[in-house]
């Protein structure tokens, strides 16, 4: 039983480490977005893909190990739940409690990461809309409403100027 507990504890802690790394990366990504550092954003995206692949690989390893201990256990990577995995393991309640604690930490990080990813997505969309607004003003696209310096929509025969000088 100790071997099972140590094995699962190591795999779950390694998975937890990947989630922590992903959280740190998303926190840094927010700064990259506000600084409009495109190269770091691309690098961040590549690293996120690697981390997600590592997490999926760890979960697959955990499920394979569980199947060696409990032959009739069925779960896939997408439906992975630590508490369900721990519940089927032939361990004492004290040991299961420790594994469930790691699972709660993983679930908490997953929730935080989801919120951070949505916030970063919103930041990206806001910055892109600002850039789109600047370009549409410069290009004076006919499908976009154009505004005067007083905030009124211009009619089709009026023009906007990026720079207006009066003497």
């Amino acid at each position: 039983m100790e071997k099972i507990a140590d094995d699962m504890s190591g795999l779950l802690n390694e998975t937890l480490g990947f989630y922590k790394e992903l959280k740190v990366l998303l926190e840094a990504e927010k700064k990259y977005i506000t600084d409009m550092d495109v190269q770091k954003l691309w690098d961040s995206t590549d690293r996120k893909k690697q981390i997600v692949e590592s997490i999926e690989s760890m979960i697959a390893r955990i499920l394979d190990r569980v199947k060696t201990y409990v032959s009739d256990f069925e779960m896939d990577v997408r439906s992975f739940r630590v508490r369900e995995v721990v519940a089927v393991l032939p361990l004492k309640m004290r040991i299961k409690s420790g594994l469930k604690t790691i699972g709660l930490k993983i679930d908490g990080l997953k929730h935080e990461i989801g919120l951070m990813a949505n916030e970063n997505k919103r930041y990206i969309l806001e910055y892109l809309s600002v850039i789109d607004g600047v370009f549409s003003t410069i290009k004076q696209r006919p499908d976009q409403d154009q505004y005067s310096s007083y905030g009124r929509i211009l009619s089709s025969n009026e023009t906007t100027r990026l720079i207006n000088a009066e003497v």
Side-chain angles (χ1 to χ4, degrees):
M1 280 205 304
E2 267 186 47
K3 182 181 179 210
I4 298 170
D6 289 342
D7 193 24
M8 282 297 129
S9 178
L11 292 171
L12 289 173
N13 278 315
E14 198 171 338
T15 305
L16 180 63
F18 285 125
Y19 278 109
K20 286 179 180 178
E21 186 179 349
L22 188 58
K23 180 182 175 189
V24 168
L25 189 60
L26 286 171
E27 288 170 348
E29 192 174 73
K30 185 186 290 187
K31 184 176 179 345
Y32 304 153
I33 294 167
T34 56
D35 292 347
M36 294 209 171
D37 191 337
V38 177
Q39 183 57 49
K40 286 186 179 177
L41 274 172
W42 281 116
D43 294 343
S44 171
T45 300
D46 291 340
R47 183 63 189 135
K48 282 190 299 187
K49 287 178 185 177
Q50 293 171 351
I51 293 172
V52 169
E53 288 172 1
S54 297
I55 289 171
E56 288 176 349
S57 172
M58 287 303 300
I59 291 172
R61 285 178 56 195
I62 290 169
L63 293 175
D64 284 343
R65 296 279 171 80
V66 171
K67 288 176 185 174
T68 61
Y69 302 128
V70 183
S71 59
D72 61 337
F73 182 72
E74 290 296 322
M75 184 182 284
D76 64 358
V77 173
R78 296 286 175 203
S79 64
F80 178 76
R81 300 282 182 269
V82 175
R83 64 182 162 272
E84 292 175 25
V85 169
V86 172
V88 300
L89 291 173
L91 299 171
K92 294 179 182 176
M93 287 305 292
R94 177 180 53 81
I95 297 171
K96 284 185 179 186
S97 175
L99 295 176
K100 284 182 182 179
T101 301
I102 298 170
L104 289 174
K105 289 178 184 177
I106 289 172
D107 289 343
L109 276 175
K110 285 168 64 173
H111 179 71
E112 285 181 54
I113 288 168
L115 293 175
M116 291 172 74
N118 285 334
E119 185 177 3
N120 286 356
K121 182 180 177 181
R122 186 178 50 83
Y123 277 173
I124 289 171
L125 292 175
E126 285 177 10
Y127 281 106
L128 289 177
S129 68
V130 168
I131 291 170
D132 185 51
V134 169
F135 284 133
S136 68
T137 300
I138 293 170
K139 282 179 56 177
Q140 294 183 351
R141 289 185 0 205
D143 61 331
Q144 290 277 118
D145 290 330
Q146 299 295 314
Y147 296 91
S148 71
S149 59
Y150 302 107
R152 294 187 305 248
I153 296 177
L154 298 173
S155 64
S156 59
N157 59 356
E158 295 180 76
T159 61
T160 59
R161 294 177 183 84
L162 189 58
I163 300 174
N164 186 20
E166 291 184 27
V167 182

